[in-house]
Amino acid sequence: MQLLLKSIFTCALIVIFVYATAQSLIELHRNESRQELYGISRNLSQEGQSSFLSRRLRQISLGEDADEGIEDPDGSLAKKAESDLSPDKEELRECKPGLVLPLWLPQRNISVGDRLLRGFAYFLLLIYLFVGVSIIADRFMAAIEAITSIERTVTVRGPHNEKQVMHVRIWNETVANLTLMALGSSAPEILLSVIEIYAKDFESGDLGPGTIVGSAAYNLFMIIAVCMIWIPAGEVRRIRHLRVFFVTAAFSIFAYVWLWLILSVFTPGIILVWEAIVTLLFFPLTVLWAYIAERRLLVYKYMDKNYRVNKRGTVVAGEHDQVEMGAEKGTKQSLAITQRDNDAEAFDEARKEYISLLSELRQKYPEADLEQLEMMAQEQVLARSNKSRAFYRIQATRKMVGSGNLMRKIQERAHSDLTEVKAQLHPADDDDSDDPTRIYFEPGHYTVMENCGEFEVRVVRRGDLSTYATVEYETQDGTASAGNDFVGKKGSLSFPPGVDEQRFRIEVIDDDVFEEDECFYIRLFNPSENVKLSVPMMATVMILDDDHAGIFAFTDSAFEVSESVGRYELKVMRYSGARGTVVVPYWTEGDTAIEGKDFEEIHGELVFENNESEQVIELFILEESSYEKDVSFKVFIGTPELAPDDDMAAQIRAVEKKNANELTELDRILLLSKPRTGELSTATIRIRESQEFKATVDKLVAKANVSAVLGTSSWKEQFKDALTVIPADESEFDRDDDTLEEVPSCFNYISHFFCLFWKVIFAFVPPTDICGGYVTFVVSIVVIGVITAIIGDAASYFGCTLNIKDSVTAILFVALGTSIPDTFASMIAAKHDEGADNCIGNVTGSNAVNVFLGIGLAWTIAAVYHSSHGMTFNVEPGTIGFAVALFCGEALIAVLLIMVRRCHKGIGAELGGPKVSKYISAAILVFLWVFYVVICILEAYDIIRV
């Protein structure tokens, strides 16, 4: 489809050139015929013949009707014919030198073939200049995006009254779109109007105003028509910021009504200083009114600081309502206005969108780990979000000139974002070599059986290992005493250079007396010079009695786990004995957590072998990647039983068969040694969101801003992009990750080498990271001005060479050349945006800005200049006045058609909808543009007169 549209635009340019060539041939042939007739008429007059033939020849030479009689008693008719058709008149048809581009000499006695050759050369030059100005205009747009993305930090209250720090854009979205963004997309037209005034010594011209009016007609009719049918089948796009659209649409029509008034009504043919200044002042008035409409200041009598997260994931100061006048058709919420009373709630909405996307990816890629899913989610958040006008403009230009798809930069950006966030959450450990030498136990707690004999204790050294170090150790009694329960020990440990650990052994004394669990301690002391003792500098040793079957319990009554933990091991401990093989049943029950959704239900048995003091229950936590998850379930252990084949179990069964009076003291001790559950036989497992995941989401949502994708950080990056051929994926943002790497097509290579000169030249423009994009802004607009001046000269030479009026060249050719990048940008926006604002709203806003800023600034300069010299600034209404009046009438029809489509029950949207209706609507808009162009051309050549 894109290839078809490119072909259509190419054919349109060819048709324009063919028309220009035909016009040139007709005009040349007419001049030659008139000169021949004049020569005959002059010879007859010189011979003194005032016959009917002589008079008729003069009639034909002047283009008058044959039935009109001619009386020329004083010879004025002959003088007029001589003045009009004299060979000296050819000198007046010569092209005048331009401001920048040298004139192609010679200009006298040019043959038809030479004119056609020069016209074709100027035609190709204009196309190349249009490509160049589109590329540098995109650098200009990237600078504007960097400027409008500047943020400040604000602190707001969260849902639970906690403070949250957010980064808020300084620039209001509507103000940015109507000022810098509109200037970025319309800079060539605006500068062309200003430069033409200067080039013509502050006199009016047709090229600049004609381009602005012609561009407005093309934008309103053709761009919207193309976007209307470009929407995928079964989908629609509605204007979300309807109030802003009404303001910009009204001002875009009023702008041309105002032009008609000052050209033809107030002071016909004269532009006064106040008229020019008022025209210019309408620009800030438009911006202010749109801002008032967006903020609804006429409805609410106060301004409160409300922030919201737009679809691009960026917190912006702006609207109270996120979706206006209905985003979804047929729902009660479609006409409701959602108030953003709480800033934190708006930020939470962006989080929920991220979490929802992460859940979708988890279902699609169950084997992927969390970090991979986070990167994919960040990539898709950036790709799916609504983009700015600058994004779509740059995306369209990159695809046309063989610089690839911005989606690739989005992928790189998502990867770098995640890497940066993870680095912030897991800062690299400092180099231990700079720390002082530290010595401590590792681990600091030991649990041993009474019959273990000996066990090993480990002491480690950290920090500087290049020196020799020593430390002493000794045991200390606790509930266990040296000589009865363990063998006391005291000694010294040496750490030669490069050695980072030492070990020693402690002996435990075994007996056959039933005892409670006991403990003793080992401490470190008296370290050598430049050595510091660190925690734990004292180790605790727990001795478990092996004469009792044990008491079984959890280590705590409640545990908190992260939902991202996956498999969690819950410890069950065996206290006060470890004799015999014991079976302990366990099971789970849901509380606020749901089985199968938050955790897996389990039932089973733990088997503690003889002298085994610890076992784990494997719990499986199901991760939903929920941002604020807080649910719980319980784990129970039942009554422990000795294994049927255990020796101790057989002894206990034998004792239980005896009468109570027959039991000895050893029998009673044996019965007391049966296994039993402790107080902590129930554990509550609380599932909370992963703190790391929560922090990752917060940071990624804050970074989910595609404006950074548009900019560049270094000249190296710019030159690399300029010299590299990158395929433009036709699948746009919907490319599957499994898609094979695409190879640049033949068209990509042709486009790349065709534009290589511009790419390399513009790679010298400073990157947007320098001074926040302001340097790029200034340099880019200067370069645009220079290229626009060359375009003005080339367009003038083109029309002059082929005898085409500047007004026709502007409306038909220059306007089309400057608007083609915007066409493709709007097509991409129409397909991928959820709304129609970037397609329709920006068209109307740009049209208003073009008139008020482009014509207003140029005419203000000229009017002030003429007024300061005691003269008046004259502007012949002519074609411009007629074109303005015609455009106003057609613009009203176009806006009415758009509103009818929105209100129609069968369509319900400005763009897309049923196939038949959208093609009929698009055909009406195309007809309006064709009719506008044809009528303007006919009027310019006086074929029709008004």
Side-chain angles (χ1 to χ4, degrees), residues 625-657:
S625 299
S626 174
Y627 183 81
E628 299 239 340
K629 190 171 190 176
D630 188 359
V631 294
S632 63
F633 67 97
K634 293 184 178 181
V635 183
F636 300 89
I637 56 174
T639 303
E641 298 286 346
L642 287 165
D645 56 349
D646 187 80
D647 294 338
M648 186 176 180
Q651 296 176 15
I652 291 176
R653 285 195 296 269
V655 172
E656 287 176 342
K657 293 179 181 179

Side-chain angles (χ1 to χ4, degrees), residues 376-683:
M376 293 165 64
Q378 180 71 355
E379 178 183 327
Q380 292 198 26
V381 163
L382 290 172
R384 292 183 180 183
S385 61
N386 284 349
K387 313 301 188 305
S388 68
R389 186 176 183 178
F391 180 91
Y392 291 118
R393 172 66 185 261
I394 295 174
Q395 169 76 335
T397 303
R398 288 178 66 93
K399 291 170 70 65
M400 286 193 297
V401 302
S403 294
N405 195 324
L406 281 176
M407 182 59 192
R408 296 176 183 272
K409 295 195 71 173
I410 286 180
Q411 293 170 348
E412 297 172 1
R413 174 72 184 183
H415 184 271
S416 64
D417 283 350
L418 185 61
T419 302
E420 182 180 345
V421 167
K422 294 299 183 183
Q424 293 174 359
L425 296 177
H426 303 284
D429 295 334
D430 295 334
D431 189 359
D432 289 339
S433 61
D434 297 334
D435 294 342
T437 302
R438 296 171 288 113
I439 295 179
Y440 54 90
F441 287 107
E442 190 177 82
H445 189 280
Y446 295 86
T447 300
V448 298
M449 300 302 301
E450 187 181 51
N451 60 353
C452 71
E454 291 182 341
F455 68 95
E456 192 174 64
V457 180
R458 182 170 177 259
V459 180
V460 299
R461 176 172 66 157
R462 297 291 182 263
D464 186 7
L465 305 181
S466 62
T467 60
Y468 187 88
T470 61
V471 68
E472 297 183 26
Y473 68 91
E474 67 176 358
T475 59
Q476 291 183 349
D477 290 352
T479 55
S481 58
N484 294 324
D485 301 300
F486 67 95
V487 177
K489 193 171 185 179
K490 182 178 181 179
S492 176
L493 299 175
S494 299
F495 293 85
V499 176
D500 62 352
E501 72 171 54
Q502 290 290 359
R503 305 184 183 217
F504 61 92
R505 303 183 71 82
I506 300 292
E507 181 180 353
V508 178
I509 301 174
D510 188 15
D511 57 37
D512 295 329
V513 179
F514 171 74
E515 299 173 309
E516 296 290 339
D517 296 340
E518 300 172 314
C519 66
F520 67 96
Y521 308 99
I522 311 171
R523 76 181 183 95
L524 299 174
F525 65 98
N526 194 23
S528 59
E529 188 178 357
N530 297 327
V531 174
K532 177 182 178 181
L533 293 180
S534 183
V535 177
M537 64 183 68
M538 180 174 288
T540 301
V541 182
M542 179 70 68
I543 302 176
L544 301 182
D545 184 67
D546 61 346
D547 299 314
H548 189 283
I551 300 173
F552 298 86
F554 296 111
T555 56
D556 202 347
S557 61
F559 300 87
E560 186 172 298
V561 300
S562 167
E563 66 166 346
S564 63
V565 71
R567 185 174 68 92
Y568 179 72
E569 294 184 347
L570 180 62
K571 288 184 179 181
V572 179
M573 302 300 297
R574 189 182 194 180
Y575 302 101
S576 300
R579 182 178 175 182
T581 302
V582 180
V583 178
V584 181
Y586 66 88
W587 65 93
T588 60
E589 290 183 4
D591 189 6
T592 55
I594 301 174
E595 298 175 358
K597 180 177 181 293
D598 300 308
F599 70 98
E600 288 187 5
E601 181 183 9
I602 56 172
H603 295 81
E605 293 180 339
L606 297 177
V607 178
F608 286 80
E609 300 293 341
N610 187 42
N611 292 331
E612 190 173 20
S613 61
E614 179 181 313
Q615 278 282 11
V616 295
I617 299 175
E618 289 190 348
L619 303 175
F620 295 93
I621 310 300
L622 303 179
E623 184 177 7
E624 293 183 306
S625 299
S626 174
Y627 183 81
E628 299 239 340
K629 190 171 190 176
D630 188 359
V631 294
S632 63
F633 67 97
K634 293 184 178 181
V635 183
F636 300 89
I637 56 174
T639 303
E641 298 286 346
L642 287 165
D645 56 349
D646 187 80
D647 294 338
M648 186 176 180
Q651 296 176 15
I652 291 176
R653 285 195 296 269
V655 172
E656 287 176 342
K657 293 179 181 179
K658 295 181 180 180
N659 293 327
N661 297 330
E662 298 177 358
L663 296 178
T664 63
E665 186 64 24
L666 292 176
D667 290 339
R668 292 190 178 91
I669 293 176
L670 185 62
L671 291 176
L672 291 175
S673 66
K674 292 171 58 177
R676 63 180 187 272
T677 56
E679 294 182 1
L680 302 177
S681 60
T682 302

Side-chain angles (χ1 to χ4, degrees), residues 30 48 61 93 98 100-101 128 244 274 283 289 374 411 445 509 739 745 770 821 829 857 878 881:
R30 181 181 301 164
S61 69
R93 296 178 181 272
V100 180
L101 188 65
Y128 200 64
V244 176
W274 74 266
F283 167 64
W289 204 308
E374 287 173 339
Q411 293 170 348
H445 189 280
I509 301 174
T739 304
S745 64
I770 297 179
L857 181 60

Side-chain angles (χ1 to χ4, degrees), residues 758-894:
W758 294 122
K759 290 182 177 181
V760 174
I761 291 297
F762 298 149
F764 287 97
V765 175
T768 55
D769 280 7
I770 297 179
C771 298
Y774 286 99
V775 177
T776 310
F777 179 91
V778 174
V779 174
S780 297
I781 200 168
V782 170
V783 176
I784 291 174
V786 173
I787 299 178
T788 302
I790 301 175
I791 289 177
D793 292 345
S796 180
Y797 295 163
F798 173 75
C800 169
T801 301
L802 298 180
N803 291 309
I804 303 175
K805 290 190 174 182
D806 282 350
S807 59
V808 177
T809 302
I811 291 174
L812 185 61
F813 185 74
V814 182
L816 182 63
T818 56
S819 299
I820 285 179
D822 289 325
T823 304
F824 286 102
S826 296
M827 288 164 53
I828 298 174
K831 185 175 181 181
H832 297 287
D833 263 4
E834 294 182 3
D837 299 78
N838 274 323
C839 306
I840 299 179
N842 284 336
V843 165
T844 55
S846 179
N847 287 350
V849 171
N850 281 357
V851 172
F852 296 142
L853 188 57
I855 295 181
L857 181 60
W859 285 2
T860 298
I861 295 173
V864 171
Y865 174 83
H866 283 278
S867 177
S868 65
H869 288 75
M871 300 180 295
T872 59
F873 177 48
N874 301 318
V875 178
E876 184 66 29
T879 302
I880 297 300
F882 176 77
V884 165
L886 179 61
F887 173 77
C888 289
E890 292 192 349
L892 288 173
I893 298 175

